[in-house]
Amino acid sequence: MSDTKDMDRQQRINAYWNENNRLIISLLVIWFAVAYIPPLFINQLNQIRIVGFPLGYYFGSQFSLAVFVVLIFYYAYAMNKLDSKYHLKDK
Amino acid sequence: MAANEAIKLRNNRLAQYYGMFTVGLIVISLIMGALELVAGMPQAWIGWTFLMLTMGMYAFIGIMSRTKALDEYYVAGRNVPAIFNGMATGADWMSAASFISMAGTLYALGYDGLAYIMGWTGGYVLLALLFAPYIRKFGQYTIPDFVGTRYGGRWPRLVAAVSAIIVSLTYVTAQVVGVGIIMSRFIGVPYEWGVVIGLSGVLVCSFLGGMKAVTWTQVAQYIILIIAYLIPVTFLSLKLTGFPIPQFSYGVALQNITRLEGELKISSEAPARDGTGRVIQQGYVPAYNEGLSNAPAVTAVGQINSYFGTRFTPPAVQSIPNTTKPAEEIQPDWRGTPWNFLALTFCLMVGTAGLPHILIRFYTVPSVRESRMSVGWALVFIFLLYFTAPAYAAFARWEILQNVVGKEISSLPVWTQNWSKLGLITQRDYRTLEGRDIAKLPAWAAPQVTSGALVITDANGNGKIDVAGATFSESEVDGKKIGTFGELSGTAITKNSTDGILQFGELNIDADTIVLATPEIAGLPYTVAALIAAGGLAAALSTADGLLVVISSAIAHDFYFRIINPKASLNTRIWLGKSMLIVAAVIAALLALPRLALIAQMVAWAFSMAAASFFPVVLLGIFWKRCNGPGAIAGMVGGLSVTIFYMASNYLNPSFNVLGITHLASGIFGLPVNFLLCYIVSKLTAAPSQEVQDLVDHLRNPQLDDDLMTELAGTKGKVAAGAH
C-alpha cells in the first residue's frame, strides 16, 4: 500500500481508516494483556522479587502505567505518519 | 509560516511564565521554611500565607483571562498547546481524593488498592485511541453536543445532558467537601467557612473567564499539587533508605513490610484464616483479600437518618461469609479470586474515558494531531502522582509496623500521638479509655456497649472510666469468655485488648492521614505540611472548576440554547452560562454541608455509571456508522438500569453478588447490556440519515482543508441545524 497517490478519494479514506483500526486493535491487545493478564498469576509472580519489589506488585504499580504512557505516544507518532501517508495532515 | 512563528513565540512565553511561577513557588516555600526554623514564625501564619498566595494567584489568572467570547468561555479558544492541556487535564482529573486519600487507600488495601492505580491511568489509553482525536475533530462545545448531533433529535441530547449533570454534581460535591476539610484542618476556620472561601476561589476564576481561565489556572494548580506531593515522600525516602527517589526505593519498604508482617504473623503468602475460613489477618502484598460487606451502606443510612431526621431502616450489617449462619448457608467466600479486582480495574478505566469533564478538555486543543499528543502528556503528568502514591503507602506501612505496632501505647512516636488527638488514628486498646467520660465513648467503643459486648460498671460513681493499674482477669459464663478489666467487663475485653500494647488489629488509620502525616514522619518543618494543604486545595479546586463548567454548559448550552431557545443571542448564552455556574456552585455547597459519607461512595459509582452509559454510545457513534438514535437511547437506559440494579442490590445486601464483584464494579454488567441493546435496536430500526453517516466520515478524518472536507463541513452545518 505504498503508492497511495493512485487511489481515489474514497479508497484513500477507507484505507486510512482500516489501517487506523488495525493499529488501535493491536495497541488495545497490548493494553489488555498488560493490565489484565498479570493479576491472574499474581501469586506466582510475587514469588520473584526485584530490588525488593514483588514482581506482581511491580506490574500493577509501575510497569503497566509506564506501558500505558508509551502506548499513547506511540499511537500519536504512528498516526502522524499515517496522516502524511494518506495526505490527510490537518492544517 | 508567520502563524507558526506566532504560535512558537506564544508557547515560549507560556513556558516562561509557568517556569517563573514554579521557581517562585519553590523560593517562597524555602523562605517560609527559613522563617519558620530561624524566626519561629507561627504555624497559622504559614498556613494563611500559602492560602492567600495560591488563591490570589488563581484569582489573578482568572482576571487576566476574563472573556466574553463564546469560544473562549466554553473551550478556551481552542488554542491550548498539547503539553499545557496535558497539565490542565492532570489537574482536572486528580481530585482531592487522589491527592489526599489514595495513598491511605493503598496503605489499607495493599495490592488490592492497585486496581485504582491501574484503572485511573489505563483509561487514558482508551481515551487516546478511541475518543480524543474524534472529539477534537467534532469540535463543538459539550459532550451532549456530540450525542445530540450524532444521534439526532433532542432525546439523546437530553439524556446525555441529564447524565452529565448528575455525574458532575456528585463529583463536584465531593471536591467541595475536600476543600472544607483541608481549610478547616490547616487554617483552623470552621468547615462551613472553608467551603465558602474555597468556592469563592473557584468562582472568581471560572466566572470571569470560563474554560479559558479554568485551563490556565489548572496548569498552575497542577504545578503546585505535583511539587507538594513529591517533596515530603522524597525526604521520607531519603530518611528511611538513604536514597531520594521514593518510586524506586520503596521496594526496600515492601521487603521490610513482608518481613515485619511475618514476624507479627500478619502476613503469609495466603492470608491467615480462622476455623470458618474468615480472613483474620491480611498481608500487604498478597492479593485479593477484600471481602464483601454492607458496612458502608449501614453507615450512610444511619448518617442520613440522623442529619435529616428521616427513618429509613438501615440494612442489617452483613459481611461475607456470615459466620453466624450454619456452614451450608454460608456464601462462597470470593477472597483469593481475582474477579472483583479485574472488574473494578476495567470499570475504572472505561469510566475514566466516559467522564464528560475529561472529554471536553480535548475540545480545547488546536488540532487533531495535538489532541493525540495531549492525552499522552496528560497521562505523563498523572503518572507522576499515581506511581508515587504507592511509595507513600509503603513507607507509611513500614514506619507503622516498625515503630507503632507492638509498642506500649504510652511510648508511641509523637506523630502518632498528634494524629490520635485529632481522631484520625484510632487505638482500640481499652487502656486508652482511662479517664474518659462514660457518656462520651469513642466511636469504636460505643457500639460495643449497645451490643452488650462491653459493660461499664462505674464503681466509684465519678462518671469516668477507671482502668489505671487494673489487671485483666477472665471467667466463663454460659460457655462464653468474659473478661474483666477495672470498671470494664464483657466479651470484648480480652488479654490483648487490655495489655497497653498496640496490636496491628487495634490500629485504625483514616485514609487521609498517610499523606498528611508524612511530613511529620519525615521530620520536616510545618511549612511542608502547609504546602501539602495548598496542593490538596489545588487538586480539589481544579477538579471542581472543570466540573462546574460541564454543569453550567449542559444547562446553558444544551438545555437552553439547543433545546429551548435556539435563537438566543450570544450575550444571553454567556450570561446564562455564568449564572448557572453560580447556581451549580451554591447547590454543590449545600450538598456538601452535611458531609455525608454517601457522597464519596457516589463518586466511586460515577465510574460504573459513565462506563455503562456514555462509553458505549460515544464509541459506537464513532466506530459504527449504522448505530442510530433509538439504539443509543435503548443502550444508555438499559445499561444504566442494569448497573443501578446490581449496585443498589449489592450495596444493601452483599450476599447478592456474581463472582464476588462489589457494587463499585457494577458497570461490568451494564456495559455489555448497553452494547447489545444498542446493536439490536439499531439493527431493527432505520439506518441513520446520509448526513449523519457523512458526519461520521468527517469525524474519522483529521484533514480539514480537503475538498471533501469542505463539502462535508457544509452538510455538517445542515445536520447541526436539523437537530432542532
mmCIF file of all heavy atoms in Angstrom, chain A residues 13 16-17 20 31 36 39 42 49 52-53 60-62 72 80 83 87-88 90, chain B residues 111 118 122 134 247-248 250-251 258 288 346 349 367-369 372 700 702-703 708:
data_model
loop_
_atom_site.group_PDB
_atom_site.id
_atom_site.type_symbol
_atom_site.label_atom_id
_atom_site.label_comp_id
_atom_site.label_asym_id
_atom_site.label_seq_id
_atom_site.Cartn_x
_atom_site.Cartn_y
_atom_site.Cartn_z
ATOM 1 N N ILE A 13 -9.668 7.228 1.916
ATOM 2 C CA ILE A 13 -10.340 7.351 3.225
ATOM 3 C C ILE A 13 -10.530 5.982 3.864
ATOM 4 O O ILE A 13 -10.242 5.779 5.043
ATOM 5 C CB ILE A 13 -11.690 8.078 3.050
ATOM 6 C CG1 ILE A 13 -11.413 9.551 2.766
ATOM 7 C CG2 ILE A 13 -12.555 7.917 4.296
ATOM 8 C CD1 ILE A 13 -12.634 10.340 2.415
ATOM 9 N N TYR A 16 -7.148 4.459 4.929
ATOM 10 C CA TYR A 16 -6.671 5.162 6.128
ATOM 11 C C TYR A 16 -7.396 4.641 7.358
ATOM 12 O O TYR A 16 -6.793 4.304 8.371
ATOM 13 C CB TYR A 16 -6.935 6.661 5.946
ATOM 14 C CG TYR A 16 -6.702 7.516 7.168
ATOM 15 C CD1 TYR A 16 -5.417 7.894 7.541
ATOM 16 C CD2 TYR A 16 -7.778 7.975 7.934
ATOM 17 C CE1 TYR A 16 -5.200 8.691 8.656
ATOM 18 C CE2 TYR A 16 -7.569 8.774 9.048
ATOM 19 C CZ TYR A 16 -6.289 9.135 9.401
ATOM 20 O OH TYR A 16 -6.084 9.936 10.487
ATOM 21 N N TRP A 17 -8.697 4.531 7.251
ATOM 22 C CA TRP A 17 -9.500 4.102 8.388
ATOM 23 C C TRP A 17 -9.176 2.660 8.783
ATOM 24 O O TRP A 17 -9.087 2.335 9.968
ATOM 25 C CB TRP A 17 -10.986 4.268 8.050
ATOM 26 C CG TRP A 17 -11.883 3.975 9.214
ATOM 27 C CD1 TRP A 17 -12.793 2.981 9.318
ATOM 28 C CD2 TRP A 17 -11.939 4.696 10.450
ATOM 29 N NE1 TRP A 17 -13.427 3.020 10.527
ATOM 30 C CE2 TRP A 17 -12.914 4.068 11.254
ATOM 31 C CE3 TRP A 17 -11.256 5.798 10.963
ATOM 32 C CZ2 TRP A 17 -13.223 4.516 12.533
ATOM 33 C CZ3 TRP A 17 -11.566 6.236 12.235
ATOM 34 C CH2 TRP A 17 -12.531 5.598 13.002
ATOM 35 N N ASN A 20 -5.874 2.577 10.554
ATOM 36 C CA ASN A 20 -6.082 3.141 11.887
ATOM 37 C C ASN A 20 -6.692 2.084 12.811
ATOM 38 O O ASN A 20 -6.225 1.874 13.923
ATOM 39 C CB ASN A 20 -6.991 4.372 11.779
ATOM 40 C CG ASN A 20 -7.301 4.997 13.132
ATOM 41 O OD1 ASN A 20 -6.555 4.825 14.083
ATOM 42 N ND2 ASN A 20 -8.405 5.719 13.217
ATOM 43 N N TRP A 31 -2.518 -3.296 25.642
ATOM 44 C CA TRP A 31 -3.123 -2.648 26.815
ATOM 45 C C TRP A 31 -3.813 -3.690 27.685
ATOM 46 O O TRP A 31 -3.633 -3.742 28.896
ATOM 47 C CB TRP A 31 -4.123 -1.601 26.313
ATOM 48 C CG TRP A 31 -5.098 -1.063 27.311
ATOM 49 C CD1 TRP A 31 -4.870 -0.074 28.203
ATOM 50 C CD2 TRP A 31 -6.459 -1.474 27.489
ATOM 51 N NE1 TRP A 31 -6.019 0.169 28.930
ATOM 52 C CE2 TRP A 31 -7.003 -0.683 28.517
ATOM 53 C CE3 TRP A 31 -7.284 -2.423 26.877
ATOM 54 C CZ2 TRP A 31 -8.322 -0.804 28.950
ATOM 55 C CZ3 TRP A 31 -8.590 -2.550 27.310
ATOM 56 C CH2 TRP A 31 -9.099 -1.747 28.336
ATOM 57 N N TYR A 36 -4.490 -6.921 32.428
ATOM 58 C CA TYR A 36 -5.376 -7.968 32.938
ATOM 59 C C TYR A 36 -4.767 -9.365 33.024
ATOM 60 O O TYR A 36 -5.352 -10.237 33.640
ATOM 61 C CB TYR A 36 -6.668 -8.007 32.109
ATOM 62 C CG TYR A 36 -7.425 -6.715 32.205
ATOM 63 C CD1 TYR A 36 -7.313 -5.728 31.225
ATOM 64 C CD2 TYR A 36 -8.201 -6.442 33.325
ATOM 65 C CE1 TYR A 36 -7.970 -4.517 31.344
ATOM 66 C CE2 TYR A 36 -8.866 -5.240 33.459
ATOM 67 C CZ TYR A 36 -8.746 -4.277 32.451
ATOM 68 O OH TYR A 36 -9.387 -3.088 32.595
ATOM 69 N N PRO A 39 -2.491 -9.933 36.806
ATOM 70 C CA PRO A 39 -3.277 -10.206 38.022
ATOM 71 C C PRO A 39 -3.733 -11.659 38.136
ATOM 72 O O PRO A 39 -3.979 -12.144 39.246
ATOM 73 C CB PRO A 39 -4.491 -9.266 37.875
ATOM 74 C CG PRO A 39 -3.984 -8.145 37.064
ATOM 75 C CD PRO A 39 -3.020 -8.756 36.087
ATOM 76 N N ILE A 42 -0.852 -13.636 39.947
ATOM 77 C CA ILE A 42 -0.249 -12.765 40.940
ATOM 78 C C ILE A 42 0.608 -13.524 41.956
ATOM 79 O O ILE A 42 1.707 -13.088 42.286
ATOM 80 C CB ILE A 42 -1.344 -11.918 41.636
ATOM 81 C CG1 ILE A 42 -0.724 -10.869 42.541
ATOM 82 C CG2 ILE A 42 -2.321 -12.758 42.420
ATOM 83 C CD1 ILE A 42 -0.035 -9.791 41.812
ATOM 84 N N ARG A 49 11.302 -11.510 43.344
ATOM 85 C CA ARG A 49 11.488 -10.159 43.848
ATOM 86 C C ARG A 49 12.622 -9.458 43.116
ATOM 87 O O ARG A 49 13.683 -10.034 42.910
ATOM 88 C CB ARG A 49 11.795 -10.183 45.350
ATOM 89 C CG ARG A 49 10.542 -10.197 46.187
ATOM 90 C CD ARG A 49 10.879 -10.155 47.659
ATOM 91 N NE ARG A 49 9.654 -10.294 48.437
ATOM 92 C CZ ARG A 49 8.989 -9.245 48.958
ATOM 93 N NH1 ARG A 49 9.436 -8.023 48.793
ATOM 94 N NH2 ARG A 49 7.898 -9.440 49.644
ATOM 95 N N GLY A 52 13.565 -5.714 45.897
ATOM 96 C CA GLY A 52 12.565 -5.591 46.948
ATOM 97 C C GLY A 52 11.131 -5.653 46.446
ATOM 98 O O GLY A 52 10.225 -5.975 47.202
ATOM 99 N N PHE A 53 10.917 -5.312 45.184
ATOM 100 C CA PHE A 53 9.560 -5.321 44.642
ATOM 101 C C PHE A 53 9.117 -6.738 44.291
ATOM 102 O O PHE A 53 9.763 -7.391 43.473
ATOM 103 C CB PHE A 53 9.481 -4.493 43.357
ATOM 104 C CG PHE A 53 9.529 -3.010 43.572
ATOM 105 C CD1 PHE A 53 10.715 -2.320 43.408
ATOM 106 C CD2 PHE A 53 8.384 -2.311 43.917
ATOM 107 C CE1 PHE A 53 10.759 -0.944 43.595
ATOM 108 C CE2 PHE A 53 8.429 -0.943 44.099
ATOM 109 C CZ PHE A 53 9.615 -0.252 43.944
ATOM 110 N N GLY A 60 1.608 -4.107 38.681
ATOM 111 C CA GLY A 60 0.412 -3.307 38.933
ATOM 112 C C GLY A 60 0.715 -1.865 39.267
ATOM 113 O O GLY A 60 -0.044 -0.962 38.916
ATOM 114 N N SER A 61 1.851 -1.615 39.946
ATOM 115 C CA SER A 61 2.077 -0.268 40.445
ATOM 116 C C SER A 61 2.941 0.597 39.529
ATOM 117 O O SER A 61 2.886 1.807 39.616
ATOM 118 C CB SER A 61 2.713 -0.322 41.838
ATOM 119 O OG SER A 61 3.969 -0.940 41.755
ATOM 120 N N GLN A 62 3.746 -0.030 38.657
ATOM 121 C CA GLN A 62 4.625 0.802 37.827
ATOM 122 C C GLN A 62 4.689 0.385 36.362
ATOM 123 O O GLN A 62 4.495 1.198 35.467
ATOM 124 C CB GLN A 62 6.042 0.809 38.408
ATOM 125 C CG GLN A 62 6.093 1.459 39.778
ATOM 126 C CD GLN A 62 7.493 1.802 40.216
ATOM 127 O OE1 GLN A 62 8.468 1.401 39.613
ATOM 128 N NE2 GLN A 62 7.592 2.555 41.293
ATOM 129 N N ILE A 72 0.290 5.413 24.287
ATOM 130 C CA ILE A 72 -0.383 6.623 23.801
ATOM 131 C C ILE A 72 0.551 7.434 22.896
ATOM 132 O O ILE A 72 0.160 7.871 21.812
ATOM 133 C CB ILE A 72 -0.859 7.497 24.976
ATOM 134 C CG1 ILE A 72 -1.902 6.724 25.794
ATOM 135 C CG2 ILE A 72 -1.463 8.795 24.465
ATOM 136 C CD1 ILE A 72 -2.415 7.474 26.995
ATOM 137 N N ASN A 80 0.499 10.222 13.105
ATOM 138 C CA ASN A 80 1.069 11.328 12.343
ATOM 139 C C ASN A 80 1.649 10.819 11.038
ATOM 140 O O ASN A 80 1.492 11.429 9.984
ATOM 141 C CB ASN A 80 2.151 12.038 13.155
ATOM 142 C CG ASN A 80 1.546 12.909 14.229
ATOM 143 O OD1 ASN A 80 0.351 13.189 14.206
ATOM 144 N ND2 ASN A 80 2.364 13.323 15.183
ATOM 145 N N ASP A 83 -1.186 9.910 8.738
ATOM 146 C CA ASP A 83 -1.795 11.110 8.169
ATOM 147 C C ASP A 83 -1.008 11.586 6.943
ATOM 148 O O ASP A 83 -1.592 11.937 5.919
ATOM 149 C CB ASP A 83 -1.824 12.249 9.207
ATOM 150 C CG ASP A 83 -2.872 12.015 10.273
ATOM 151 O OD1 ASP A 83 -3.668 11.075 10.116
ATOM 152 O OD2 ASP A 83 -2.890 12.775 11.265
ATOM 153 N N HIS A 87 -1.952 11.701 2.925
ATOM 154 C CA HIS A 87 -2.113 13.140 2.683
ATOM 155 C C HIS A 87 -3.288 13.695 3.443
ATOM 156 O O HIS A 87 -4.094 14.448 2.921
ATOM 157 C CB HIS A 87 -2.306 13.413 1.179
ATOM 158 C CG HIS A 87 -1.403 12.597 0.331
ATOM 159 N ND1 HIS A 87 -0.051 12.789 0.295
ATOM 160 C CD2 HIS A 87 -1.652 11.551 -0.484
ATOM 161 C CE1 HIS A 87 0.497 11.905 -0.518
ATOM 162 N NE2 HIS A 87 -0.445 11.137 -1.007
ATOM 163 N N LEU A 88 -3.425 13.283 4.694
ATOM 164 C CA LEU A 88 -4.570 13.743 5.476
ATOM 165 C C LEU A 88 -4.139 14.642 6.637
ATOM 166 O O LEU A 88 -4.844 14.786 7.616
ATOM 167 C CB LEU A 88 -5.353 12.549 6.033
ATOM 168 C CG LEU A 88 -6.131 11.744 5.007
ATOM 169 C CD1 LEU A 88 -6.689 10.498 5.619
ATOM 170 C CD2 LEU A 88 -7.241 12.586 4.406
ATOM 171 N N ASP A 90 -3.752 17.535 9.033
ATOM 172 C CA ASP A 90 -4.646 18.677 9.224
ATOM 173 C C ASP A 90 -3.848 19.961 9.330
ATOM 174 O O ASP A 90 -2.809 20.002 9.977
ATOM 175 C CB ASP A 90 -5.579 18.484 10.412
ATOM 176 C CG ASP A 90 -4.860 18.332 11.726
ATOM 177 O OD1 ASP A 90 -3.678 17.930 11.689
ATOM 178 O OD2 ASP A 90 -5.453 18.599 12.756
ATOM 179 N N TYR B 111 -2.082 -4.694 47.816
ATOM 180 C CA TYR B 111 -2.147 -4.946 46.374
ATOM 181 C C TYR B 111 -3.520 -4.607 45.812
ATOM 182 O O TYR B 111 -3.636 -4.053 44.717
ATOM 183 C CB TYR B 111 -1.801 -6.400 46.060
ATOM 184 C CG TYR B 111 -1.888 -6.705 44.574
ATOM 185 C CD1 TYR B 111 -0.808 -6.444 43.739
ATOM 186 C CD2 TYR B 111 -3.059 -7.205 44.009
ATOM 187 C CE1 TYR B 111 -0.896 -6.672 42.377
ATOM 188 C CE2 TYR B 111 -3.147 -7.443 42.651
ATOM 189 C CZ TYR B 111 -2.068 -7.182 41.842
ATOM 190 O OH TYR B 111 -2.161 -7.397 40.489
ATOM 191 N N MET B 118 -4.116 1.357 38.448
ATOM 192 C CA MET B 118 -4.173 0.923 37.046
ATOM 193 C C MET B 118 -5.415 1.458 36.351
ATOM 194 O O MET B 118 -5.365 1.898 35.209
ATOM 195 C CB MET B 118 -4.174 -0.604 36.977
ATOM 196 C CG MET B 118 -2.802 -1.202 37.114
ATOM 197 S SD MET B 118 -2.745 -2.819 36.340
ATOM 198 C CE MET B 118 -3.493 -3.802 37.615
ATOM 199 N N GLY B 122 -5.028 3.545 33.083
ATOM 200 C CA GLY B 122 -5.293 2.765 31.870
ATOM 201 C C GLY B 122 -6.438 3.341 31.057
ATOM 202 O O GLY B 122 -6.498 3.153 29.833
ATOM 203 N N TYR B 134 -11.310 12.153 17.822
ATOM 204 C CA TYR B 134 -12.601 12.328 17.157
ATOM 205 C C TYR B 134 -13.427 13.414 17.816
ATOM 206 O O TYR B 134 -14.154 14.150 17.147
ATOM 207 C CB TYR B 134 -13.343 10.989 17.124
ATOM 208 C CG TYR B 134 -12.437 9.893 16.639
ATOM 209 C CD1 TYR B 134 -11.900 8.955 17.500
ATOM 210 C CD2 TYR B 134 -12.027 9.861 15.301
ATOM 211 C CE1 TYR B 134 -11.013 7.989 17.061
ATOM 212 C CE2 TYR B 134 -11.148 8.912 14.846
ATOM 213 C CZ TYR B 134 -10.627 7.973 15.733
ATOM 214 O OH TYR B 134 -9.741 7.041 15.285
ATOM 215 N N GLN B 247 10.038 6.431 44.334
ATOM 216 C CA GLN B 247 9.359 5.499 43.443
ATOM 217 C C GLN B 247 10.178 4.227 43.228
ATOM 218 O O GLN B 247 9.617 3.168 42.939
ATOM 219 C CB GLN B 247 9.079 6.160 42.085
ATOM 220 C CG GLN B 247 8.135 7.342 42.158
ATOM 221 C CD GLN B 247 8.840 8.643 42.505
ATOM 222 O OE1 GLN B 247 10.019 8.664 42.844
ATOM 223 N NE2 GLN B 247 8.121 9.747 42.426
ATOM 224 N N PHE B 248 11.503 4.329 43.360
ATOM 225 C CA PHE B 248 12.325 3.138 43.182
ATOM 226 C C PHE B 248 12.750 2.528 44.508
ATOM 227 O O PHE B 248 12.993 1.340 44.602
ATOM 228 C CB PHE B 248 13.547 3.463 42.317
ATOM 229 C CG PHE B 248 13.162 3.918 40.946
ATOM 230 C CD1 PHE B 248 13.487 5.179 40.483
ATOM 231 C CD2 PHE B 248 12.407 3.085 40.121
ATOM 232 C CE1 PHE B 248 13.081 5.600 39.217
ATOM 233 C CE2 PHE B 248 11.998 3.497 38.859
ATOM 234 C CZ PHE B 248 12.341 4.759 38.404
ATOM 235 N N TYR B 250 11.026 2.306 47.300
ATOM 236 C CA TYR B 250 10.047 1.720 48.216
ATOM 237 C C TYR B 250 10.005 0.199 48.119
ATOM 238 O O TYR B 250 9.311 -0.460 48.892
ATOM 239 C CB TYR B 250 8.671 2.376 48.099
ATOM 240 C CG TYR B 250 7.767 2.000 46.961
ATOM 241 C CD1 TYR B 250 6.915 0.898 47.059
ATOM 242 C CD2 TYR B 250 7.701 2.762 45.797
ATOM 243 C CE1 TYR B 250 6.040 0.575 46.030
ATOM 244 C CE2 TYR B 250 6.843 2.448 44.774
ATOM 245 C CZ TYR B 250 6.011 1.350 44.889
ATOM 246 O OH TYR B 250 5.157 1.040 43.876
ATOM 247 N N GLY B 251 10.775 -0.364 47.165
ATOM 248 C CA GLY B 251 10.960 -1.808 47.155
ATOM 249 C C GLY B 251 11.520 -2.292 48.492
ATOM 250 O O GLY B 251 11.116 -3.328 49.020
ATOM 251 N N THR B 258 6.992 -7.151 54.353
ATOM 252 C CA THR B 258 6.775 -8.595 54.323
ATOM 253 C C THR B 258 7.460 -9.255 55.524
ATOM 254 O O THR B 258 6.896 -10.128 56.173
ATOM 255 C CB THR B 258 7.309 -9.187 53.012
ATOM 256 O OG1 THR B 258 6.782 -8.417 51.935
ATOM 257 C CG2 THR B 258 6.895 -10.630 52.846
ATOM 258 N N TYR B 288 -6.006 -9.925 46.653
ATOM 259 C CA TYR B 288 -7.418 -10.318 46.674
ATOM 260 C C TYR B 288 -7.913 -10.727 48.045
ATOM 261 O O TYR B 288 -8.425 -11.818 48.244
ATOM 262 C CB TYR B 288 -7.672 -11.431 45.645
ATOM 263 C CG TYR B 288 -6.992 -11.186 44.336
ATOM 264 C CD1 TYR B 288 -6.293 -12.173 43.670
ATOM 265 C CD2 TYR B 288 -7.033 -9.912 43.762
ATOM 266 C CE1 TYR B 288 -5.652 -11.920 42.473
ATOM 267 C CE2 TYR B 288 -6.395 -9.655 42.566
ATOM 268 C CZ TYR B 288 -5.702 -10.652 41.934
ATOM 269 O OH TYR B 288 -5.051 -10.404 40.759
ATOM 270 N N PHE B 346 -11.387 -2.643 35.298
ATOM 271 C CA PHE B 346 -11.999 -2.405 33.993
ATOM 272 C C PHE B 346 -13.022 -1.263 34.053
ATOM 273 O O PHE B 346 -13.019 -0.375 33.207
ATOM 274 C CB PHE B 346 -12.660 -3.700 33.500
ATOM 275 C CG PHE B 346 -13.107 -3.619 32.080
ATOM 276 C CD1 PHE B 346 -12.187 -3.687 31.045
ATOM 277 C CD2 PHE B 346 -14.453 -3.470 31.764
ATOM 278 C CE1 PHE B 346 -12.593 -3.602 29.724
ATOM 279 C CE2 PHE B 346 -14.867 -3.388 30.446
ATOM 280 C CZ PHE B 346 -13.943 -3.451 29.420
ATOM 281 N N MET B 349 -11.300 2.089 34.301
ATOM 282 C CA MET B 349 -10.709 2.502 33.027
ATOM 283 C C MET B 349 -11.767 3.029 32.079
ATOM 284 O O MET B 349 -11.650 4.118 31.517
ATOM 285 C CB MET B 349 -10.000 1.315 32.369
ATOM 286 C CG MET B 349 -8.698 0.925 33.029
ATOM 287 S SD MET B 349 -7.861 -0.289 32.012
ATOM 288 C CE MET B 349 -6.441 -0.648 33.030
ATOM 289 N N SER B 367 -5.673 21.170 17.286
ATOM 290 C CA SER B 367 -5.845 20.264 16.157
ATOM 291 C C SER B 367 -5.972 18.823 16.625
ATOM 292 O O SER B 367 -5.716 18.516 17.786
ATOM 293 C CB SER B 367 -4.637 20.363 15.219
ATOM 294 O OG SER B 367 -3.485 19.909 15.917
ATOM 295 N N VAL B 368 -6.348 17.954 15.691
ATOM 296 C CA VAL B 368 -6.463 16.534 15.984
ATOM 297 C C VAL B 368 -5.111 15.976 16.414
ATOM 298 O O VAL B 368 -4.991 15.219 17.377
ATOM 299 C CB VAL B 368 -6.973 15.774 14.742
ATOM 300 C CG1 VAL B 368 -6.912 14.271 14.971
ATOM 301 C CG2 VAL B 368 -8.383 16.202 14.401
ATOM 302 N N ARG B 369 -4.092 16.395 15.672
ATOM 303 C CA ARG B 369 -2.740 15.967 15.969
ATOM 304 C C ARG B 369 -2.351 16.299 17.415
ATOM 305 O O ARG B 369 -1.839 15.466 18.157
ATOM 306 C CB ARG B 369 -1.833 16.706 14.987
ATOM 307 C CG ARG B 369 -0.440 16.229 14.871
ATOM 308 C CD ARG B 369 0.290 17.269 14.000
ATOM 309 N NE ARG B 369 1.704 16.975 13.969
ATOM 310 C CZ ARG B 369 2.280 16.304 12.985
ATOM 311 N NH1 ARG B 369 1.576 15.872 11.957
ATOM 312 N NH2 ARG B 369 3.571 16.071 13.010
ATOM 313 N N ARG B 372 -4.027 14.117 20.108
ATOM 314 C CA ARG B 372 -3.422 12.807 20.364
ATOM 315 C C ARG B 372 -2.230 12.962 21.314
ATOM 316 O O ARG B 372 -2.079 12.187 22.266
ATOM 317 C CB ARG B 372 -2.933 12.188 19.052
ATOM 318 C CG ARG B 372 -4.047 11.859 18.078
ATOM 319 C CD ARG B 372 -3.492 11.036 16.922
ATOM 320 N NE ARG B 372 -4.423 10.955 15.829
ATOM 321 C CZ ARG B 372 -4.193 11.447 14.602
ATOM 322 N NH1 ARG B 372 -3.044 12.062 14.333
ATOM 323 N NH2 ARG B 372 -5.091 11.327 13.657
ATOM 324 N N ARG B 700 -13.833 10.832 11.231
ATOM 325 C CA ARG B 700 -12.737 9.868 11.127
ATOM 326 C C ARG B 700 -11.532 10.426 10.391
ATOM 327 O O ARG B 700 -10.486 9.795 10.363
ATOM 328 C CB ARG B 700 -13.234 8.623 10.398
ATOM 329 C CG ARG B 700 -14.265 7.853 11.201
ATOM 330 C CD ARG B 700 -14.822 6.733 10.383
ATOM 331 N NE ARG B 700 -15.753 5.920 11.157
ATOM 332 C CZ ARG B 700 -16.344 4.836 10.673
ATOM 333 N NH1 ARG B 700 -16.087 4.442 9.434
ATOM 334 N NH2 ARG B 700 -17.175 4.137 11.416
ATOM 335 N N PRO B 702 -8.831 13.492 9.936
ATOM 336 C CA PRO B 702 -8.321 14.714 10.555
ATOM 337 C C PRO B 702 -8.188 15.870 9.570
ATOM 338 O O PRO B 702 -8.074 17.008 9.974
ATOM 339 C CB PRO B 702 -6.957 14.293 11.102
ATOM 340 C CG PRO B 702 -6.564 13.110 10.317
ATOM 341 C CD PRO B 702 -7.822 12.436 9.889
ATOM 342 N N GLN B 703 -8.214 15.540 8.245
ATOM 343 C CA GLN B 703 -7.941 16.587 7.273
ATOM 344 C C GLN B 703 -9.045 17.628 7.262
ATOM 345 O O GLN B 703 -10.219 17.311 7.319
ATOM 346 C CB GLN B 703 -7.869 15.933 5.899
ATOM 347 C CG GLN B 703 -7.355 16.851 4.848
ATOM 348 C CD GLN B 703 -7.269 16.111 3.555
ATOM 349 O OE1 GLN B 703 -8.051 15.204 3.314
ATOM 350 N NE2 GLN B 703 -6.323 16.473 2.729
ATOM 351 N N LEU B 708 -13.129 17.368 -0.018
ATOM 352 C CA LEU B 708 -14.146 16.518 0.598
ATOM 353 C C LEU B 708 -14.618 17.113 1.916
ATOM 354 O O LEU B 708 -15.798 17.124 2.241
ATOM 355 C CB LEU B 708 -13.569 15.121 0.850
ATOM 356 C CG LEU B 708 -14.465 14.198 1.664
ATOM 357 C CD1 LEU B 708 -15.560 13.619 0.815
ATOM 358 C CD2 LEU B 708 -13.646 13.106 2.311
#
